[in-house]
Amino acid sequence: MTNAEQQLVEFCQALIRTPSLSGQEEQVARLIQKTMLQEGFDEAVIDRYGSVLGCLRGNRPGKTVLLDGHIDTVDLSDRSLWQHDPYGAELVDGKIYGRGTSDMKGSVAAMVMAAAGFAKAHGHDFAGTVYVSCTVHEECFEGVSSREITRLAKPDFVIIGEATTTTVKRGQRGRAEVVVETEGVSCHSSNPEKGVNAVYEMMAVIEEIRKIVPNEHPLLGKGILELTDIISKPYPGASVVPSLCRATFDRRTLVGEDEGVILGQVNEAIARAQEKYPGLKARCYLAEGEEKCWTGETIRAKRYFPAWVVDEDSELVQGAMKGLKDAGIEAKLSHFAFCTNGSSFCGEAGIPCIGYGPSLESLAHVRDEYIEIDQLTKACKGFECILAQLTK
C-alpha cells in the first residue's frame, strides 16, 4: 500500500470512529474541515446547516465541479448483533468495518483525498474550481441541505459519491411522501350508526388508489405508489368510532412527474370513491418535514424530491467515462435504485449530475457494514481522473 493509500485508509477510519447521526454531525464536520485545510484546500467552510464545503481553485478559468457526499449515518438497530464494533473501524481481510463505511464516509474520504491529490499533482494548474461538499441530514431529508451548497458553490457539474461499485449512474427516481386523510364523525362504538367511521372511508379511497396504473420511464422503470402506514384518530380508540384516518404513501416518481401529477392521480382516485360513496370526505397533500441541525438552524421542506436523468451523450457523462477509462476503470452506465442529493442538484436546480462512488448499494444500513480497501482506493483514483477530464 502506498503512503497516499495508507493516508486514505486512516482518514476513512477516523471518520468511522466519529459517530455522526443526522443532526449530530458536528465532530465529524470539524474533522473533515481540519483535514481539508491540512491537505491544501484553499478554504473549507461550515455552512449554516453544518455541512462542510471545501474549495480548490485552478489557475485558469473554467467550470466549477462539485463532488458531494453526506456525512450523517443511520442509527444502529441493535449494537449487540454486530460482530465488529460499529465505531471501531476494524481492518480485517482487506475490509474496513463500521457504520457509514459504505454509506458513505468511505466515499467522502476518497473524494477529499482525490481532490487534494489532484490539485497537488497539477500544482493547481487546472481550469476552473473544484469543490467537495460533505452534507448533513441526508438520511432523513435528502436534498435539502444541499440547496445551500448549490447557492454557495454554484457548480456546473456535480458528482454524487453514493455507492455505485465504481460504475456511473446518470439518473434516479424521485421520492414523495403523499398523505391521504379521510374525515368521519365520532360517536360511541356501541352505536356506530350515529357516526361515520373514517377508517371505512379510507378503505374506499385505498381501493381506488390501488387502481392507479404507474407511469413508466425507459431508463428509470415504473413509478411506485405504496402504502407505508395508516393510523386513526383518536388512537387508541377505546369504544370510539374514529373521526379521522391518515394514510401515508411512498411515491417513487419519474422525470416529468411534478407535484401536480403526483397529487392529481390521488385526487382522481378520491373523486372515484366519492362517486361510489356520496358524502365521503377526503383530501391529499405532500408531507412536510422539519429537522434541527447541529448548528441550531432548522431545515424545513415538503417531502418531495424529484427524479432526474442526464443524457448519455452529455459532456459530464462522457467526460466521466473518459476519465475512468484513463484510470483503467471500465464503468458501466446505469441508474440509482434509491434517492440521493441529486434530487436537489439536478432534479430541482437543473445542474448536470452523475453518481460515482465505491462499494455496494446493498451494504447501506446493514449490520457489519464494511467497505473494501480495493474499492476505496479505486474510487479515489477514479475521482482524480474524472476531475482531470472536467477541468482541462
Side-chain angles (χ1 to χ4, degrees), residues 82-101:
W82 285 63
Q83 295 183 15
H84 301 273
D85 181 353
Y87 299 116
E90 297 173 35
L91 180 53
V92 182
D93 296 330
K95 300 174 182 176
I96 305 171
Y97 285 87
R99 173 56 81 221
T101 46

Side-chain angles (χ1 to χ4, degrees), residues 246-366:
R246 178 183 295 114
T248 304
F249 292 81
D250 184 349
R251 177 68 158 87
R252 299 291 160 151
T253 68
L254 306 176
V255 174
E257 293 186 325
D258 59 13
E259 183 175 341
V261 171
I262 296 164
L263 295 182
Q265 291 177 328
V266 179
N267 276 320
E268 288 173 4
I270 290 172
R272 293 195 299 270
Q274 289 170 331
E275 288 178 5
K276 292 181 180 180
Y277 303 96
L280 183 151
K281 294 181 180 180
R283 69 184 186 118
C284 71
Y285 57 90
L286 294 180
E288 295 192 13
E290 178 176 301
E291 299 290 344
K292 182 71 72 173
C293 299
W294 68 261
T295 57
E297 285 280 345
T298 299
I299 53 176
R300 301 179 183 87
K302 289 181 179 179
R303 292 197 179 276
Y304 165 56
F305 313 101
W308 56 275
V309 170
V310 175
D311 190 81
E312 185 175 346
D313 296 324
S314 67
E315 180 182 354
L316 174 59
V317 172
Q318 289 303 307
M321 297 297 282
K322 174 65 167 59
L324 293 175
K325 187 174 182 180
D326 291 345
I329 300 171
E330 292 296 328
K332 295 181 179 179
L333 270 176
S334 58
H335 63 282
F336 283 115
F338 52 88
C339 210
T340 74
N341 279 344
S343 288
S344 168
F345 293 121
C346 192
E348 292 178 356
I351 303 164
C353 180
I354 59 168
Y356 169 81
S359 204
L360 297 165
E361 296 178 20
S362 59
L363 290 173
H365 304 186
V366 301

Side-chain angles (χ1 to χ4, degrees), residues 71-346:
I71 54 176
D72 61 321
T73 71
V74 294
D75 205 349
L76 310 172
S77 55
D78 189 340
R79 185 167 182 159
S80 67
L81 297 177
W82 285 63
Q83 295 183 15
H84 301 273
D85 181 353
Y87 299 116
E90 297 173 35
L91 180 53
V92 182
D93 296 330
K95 300 174 182 176
I96 305 171
Y97 285 87
R99 173 56 81 221
T101 46
S102 284
D103 189 23
M104 57 176 294
K105 291 180 176 179
S107 188
V108 167
M111 288 189 288
V112 170
M113 292 304 183
F118 168 73
K120 289 175 187 175
H122 292 80
H124 283 250
D125 184 22
F126 60 88
T129 304
V130 173
Y131 281 100
V132 179
S133 59
C134 306
T135 47
V136 298
H137 266 305
E138 191 273 349
E139 291 292 359
C140 53
F141 222 175
E142 68 269 31
V144 178
S145 64
S146 37
R147 293 171 184 167
E148 182 71 2
I149 297 297
T150 296
R151 187 184 71 82
L152 294 171
K154 300 178 176 59
D156 297 296
F157 298 127
V158 178
I159 295 104
I160 302 291
E162 293 275 9
T164 70
T165 327
T166 61
T167 61
V168 174
K169 309 292 188 182
R170 64 181 186 95
Q172 63 161 78
R173 288 182 298 189
R175 184 173 75 87
E177 289 183 24
V178 180
V179 180
V180 178
E181 289 183 345
T182 52
E183 182 183 341
V185 177
S186 184
C187 68
H188 199 286
S189 56
S190 64
N191 299 293
E193 71 281 357
K194 294 183 178 181
V196 177
N197 194 312
V199 175
Y200 296 154
E201 306 282 273
M202 181 63 74
M203 290 169 63
V205 173
I206 290 174
E207 181 181 0
E208 295 303 320
I209 287 176
R210 295 191 69 185
K211 295 177 183 177
I212 295 173
V213 178
N215 295 324
E216 287 194 53
H217 185 274
L219 176 67
L220 303 180
K222 290 183 178 181
I224 290 174
L225 181 62
E226 186 66 19
L227 177 66
T228 55
D229 67 58
I230 187 167
I231 191 167
S232 58
K233 185 180 180 180
Y235 181 86
S239 301
V240 178
V241 169
S243 59
L244 183 74
C245 187
R246 178 183 295 114
T248 304
F249 292 81
D250 184 349
R251 177 68 158 87
R252 299 291 160 151
T253 68
L254 306 176
V255 174
E257 293 186 325
D258 59 13
E259 183 175 341
V261 171
I262 296 164
L263 295 182
Q265 291 177 328
V266 179
N267 276 320
E268 288 173 4
I270 290 172
R272 293 195 299 270
Q274 289 170 331
E275 288 178 5
K276 292 181 180 180
Y277 303 96
L280 183 151
K281 294 181 180 180
R283 69 184 186 118
C284 71
Y285 57 90
L286 294 180
E288 295 192 13
E290 178 176 301
E291 299 290 344
K292 182 71 72 173
C293 299
W294 68 261
T295 57
E297 285 280 345
T298 299
I299 53 176
R300 301 179 183 87
K302 289 181 179 179
R303 292 197 179 276
Y304 165 56
F305 313 101
W308 56 275
V309 170
V310 175
D311 190 81
E312 185 175 346
D313 296 324
S314 67
E315 180 182 354
L316 174 59
V317 172
Q318 289 303 307
M321 297 297 282
K322 174 65 167 59
L324 293 175
K325 187 174 182 180
D326 291 345
I329 300 171
E330 292 296 328
K332 295 181 179 179
L333 270 176
S334 58
H335 63 282
F336 283 115
F338 52 88
C339 210
T340 74
N341 279 344
S343 288
S344 168
F345 293 121
C346 192

